[in-house]
Amino acid sequence: MPLKTSHCNSCLFKTICDRTIGKEDFDDLYRSTTFQIFRKGEIILRQHMKMSNLVFLHTGIVKFCYNNYGKDIILTIDKAPTLLGLANYLNNNVNFFSIIAIEDCEGCMIDEDVFQRILTNNPSFALQALNSFTNMFRQSMQSFISLSYNQVQGRIANILVFLSKHIYESSVFRLPLTRKEIAQFAGCSTENVINTLRKFDHDGIIRINGKEIEILDEKGLQLVCRMG
Amino acid sequence: MPLKTSHCNSCLFKTICDRTIGKEDFDDLYRSTTFQIFRKGEIILRQHMKMSNLVFLHTGIVKFCYNNYGKDIILTIDKAPTLLGLANYLNNNVNFFSIIAIEDCEGCMIDEDVFQRILTNNPSFALQALNSFTNMFRQSMQSFISLSYNQVQGRIANILVFLSKHIYESSVFRLPLTRKEIAQFAGCSTENVINTLRKFDHDGIIRINGKEIEILDEKGLQLVCRMG
DNA sequence: GCCAAAACATGAAATATTACATCTTTTTCG
DNA sequence: CGAAAAAGATGTAATATTTCATGTTTTGGC
């Protein structure tokens, strides 16, 4: 609870809201939120569960998981700051998928009723929420296309580019996923991930050392995305 | 133009609108629309083009196409009655993908500005539009998962189930797609589609004669969707 | 009705991918 | 710290998929 106070003064969510909703509405929203820490591996939203919360993620990285007849699939990765649960909210609060912390995260639980009230009273806030949803949709679309119509090499190359550009914004980063999780993301076997990553290393496109990854030849990697 | 008048009295779009927007708003919308016939193969919305129209489709079946570095991909199939262009509208009017008639279609072009005005003035209409968008998102998600994490057999089985359930609502129908188009939908080679369909026929799951398809063993087909 | 183009069909060879078996390294936890 | 579990690595055999070559059938103008 003391954390909440210290955070909220500089809270990005507040900053965003300030531009689109009034002080009164924000205070309403504010009173309904509770600060929460999620440890690595913890489930923030669980697939098929009915939720009455959205979560504004302040720090951390999460994975969107879908369990398909017992098989786990990773749909996408997202990082703070971001609003989680919008797609679920639009789906009668029944969660499409699970959202799981892949590193320690901090977030604020937002009451769904309050959120709904503000949404219907503030066209510009609604529009912004819609925009955020559209962006997620477009991102999903891109993954979708990469995953469905490329070979494994192209899919893994796409995942590396995605992590580099959208999550870490750097050509050097520490893989947040295990090889098995990359396989669940790329829709292939774990061995295939290992072999493909090693091939990229041998070809001089990336340098890999355990979980440390450096993209050496971005143009080459982009080419694999398209052709692979 | 005479067609417009005769249609509009019993227009489904009007019926939907009547429940959520007032007569004045609808008349506004009505004055801005133009009736249009699209022949088989015609492009209704073109990828990357900036559009200032939405299209309410009265009759016909369309495919959502995405051109990825010169390769054509089918994202999904939709049929009348439906509102086309919502995702594009939310994307600053830049079309995500092309929408192409796969049989003769009739539709009404809706002016984007008028649509926008009504959207911002009518929370319930906006909510309904949002809902429609969410449904499309969910549908895409399902395709996405099927395509990415199943083998070819499962993907083709999924497409057959999709056409049977959502497009024709019957276990007997005439394939609206060529084998090549099914391949573009399933993300595999044309030959693979042909062989897989024939295998399903030999296994007694479907009966196929050119473009005529009958699903004989729905449970079996569903099993292939999950396992294949 | 005829011709050309497209669609459909088929089999074989080349390639991609998975599954399995086994081993090494790293991480986790009492 | 040390044992157990998980993750990572590697090679091979089995399977799935594509590509190519070729032939047949259907479709769409003129």
Side-chain angles (χ1 to χ4, degrees), chain B residues 81-98:
Chain B
T82 186
L83 183 62
L84 303 175
L86 202 56
N88 297 326
Y89 165 77
L90 295 171
N91 188 40
N92 277 323
N93 291 335
V94 178
N95 295 332
F96 272 129
F97 34 68
S98 298

Side-chain angles (χ1 to χ4, degrees), chain A residues 1 29 54 56 66 92 134 138 147 149 157 166 188-189 209:
Chain A
M1 256 325 173
L29 199 61
L54 288 94
F56 185 80
Y66 188 92
N92 276 323
T134 310
R138 183 173 29 212
L147 279 167
Y149 302 99
H166 296 285
C188 68
S189 69
N209 179 14

Side-chain angles (χ1 to χ4, degrees), chain B residues 28-172:
Chain B
D28 213 16
L29 200 60
Y30 171 75
R31 270 192 297 277
S32 78
T33 62
T34 52
F35 183 82
Q36 193 88 35
I37 290 179
F38 301 98
R39 297 288 169 207
K40 179 178 174 176
E42 264 189 81
I43 297 175
I44 300 175
L45 300 175
R46 185 186 295 270
Q47 184 179 357
H48 300 314
M49 285 275 241
K50 225 170 149 66
M51 286 291 291
S52 54
N53 283 297
L54 287 94
V55 180
F56 186 79
L57 197 73
H58 291 285
T59 62
I61 299 179
V62 298
K63 59 179 175 181
F64 288 49
C65 292
Y66 188 93
N67 187 286
N68 196 34
Y69 302 111
K71 216 167 117 187
D72 278 319
I73 285 166
I74 295 182
L75 299 173
T76 190
I77 308 277
D78 202 3
K79 68 159 181 193
T82 186
L83 183 62
L84 303 175
L86 202 56
N88 297 326
Y89 165 77
L90 295 171
N91 188 40
N92 277 323
N93 291 335
V94 178
N95 295 332
F96 272 129
F97 34 68
S98 298
I99 298 181
I100 301 175
I102 57 178
E103 58 178 47
D104 291 356
C105 293
E106 299 171 331
C108 278
M109 314 296 282
I110 299 165
D111 186 81
E112 187 256 321
D113 290 331
V114 180
F115 183 77
Q116 163 112 39
R117 197 160 59 242
I118 294 172
L119 209 58
T120 47
N121 290 340
N122 292 272
S124 64
F125 185 67
L127 210 68
Q128 193 173 316
L130 202 59
N131 217 57
S132 158
F133 184 56
T134 311
N135 284 336
M136 181 198 143
F137 176 72
R138 183 172 31 211
Q139 171 54 46
S140 300
M141 236 30 193
Q142 298 290 354
S143 299
F144 165 63
I145 287 161
S146 159
L147 280 167
S148 310
Y149 303 99
N150 279 328
Q151 316 230 110
V152 170
Q153 284 195 24
R155 290 182 245 163
I156 292 177
N158 261 298
I159 289 174
L160 294 178
V161 169
F162 171 74
L163 291 173
S164 165
K165 282 212 167 172
H166 296 285
I167 304 296
Y168 289 99
E169 295 165 24
S170 158
S171 65
V172 188

Side-chain angles (χ1 to χ4, degrees), chain B residues 138-223:
Chain B
R138 183 172 31 211
Q139 171 54 46
S140 300
M141 236 30 193
Q142 298 290 354
S143 299
F144 165 63
I145 287 161
S146 159
L147 280 167
S148 310
Y149 303 99
N150 279 328
Q151 316 230 110
V152 170
Q153 284 195 24
R155 290 182 245 163
I156 292 177
N158 261 298
I159 289 174
L160 294 178
V161 169
F162 171 74
L163 291 173
S164 165
K165 282 212 167 172
H166 296 285
I167 304 296
Y168 289 99
E169 295 165 24
S170 158
S171 65
V172 188
F173 56 91
R174 186 178 169 77
L175 260 188
L177 305 169
T178 66
R179 306 291 196 266
K180 188 178 164 193
E181 284 175 312
I182 298 174
Q184 289 172 349
F185 200 175
C188 67
S189 69
T190 311
E191 292 91 334
N192 211 336
V193 172
I194 293 166
N195 290 330
T196 304
L197 286 177
R198 203 173 28 168
K199 181 180 180 304
F200 288 169
D201 186 307
H202 284 172
D203 292 352
I205 299 173
I206 66 172
R207 194 189 48 72
I208 189 162
N209 180 15
K211 287 203 181 301
E212 304 294 335
I213 285 202
E214 181 177 0
I215 294 175
L216 300 171
D217 177 8
E218 194 179 317
K219 290 246 182 280
L221 198 58
Q222 299 269 13
L223 200 68

Side-chain angles (χ1 to χ4, degrees), chain A residues 166-212:
Chain A
H166 296 285
I167 304 297
Y168 288 99
E169 295 164 26
S170 159
S171 64
V172 188
F173 55 91
R174 187 178 168 76
L175 261 188
L177 306 168
T178 66
R179 305 292 195 266
K180 188 178 164 193
E181 283 176 311
I182 298 173
Q184 289 172 350
F185 199 175
C188 68
S189 69
T190 311
E191 292 90 335
N192 212 336
V193 171
I194 293 166
N195 291 330
T196 303
L197 286 178
R198 203 175 26 170
K199 182 180 178 305
F200 288 169
D201 187 306
H202 285 173
D203 292 352
I205 299 173
I206 66 173
R207 193 190 48 71
I208 189 162
N209 179 14
K211 286 202 183 300
E212 303 296 335

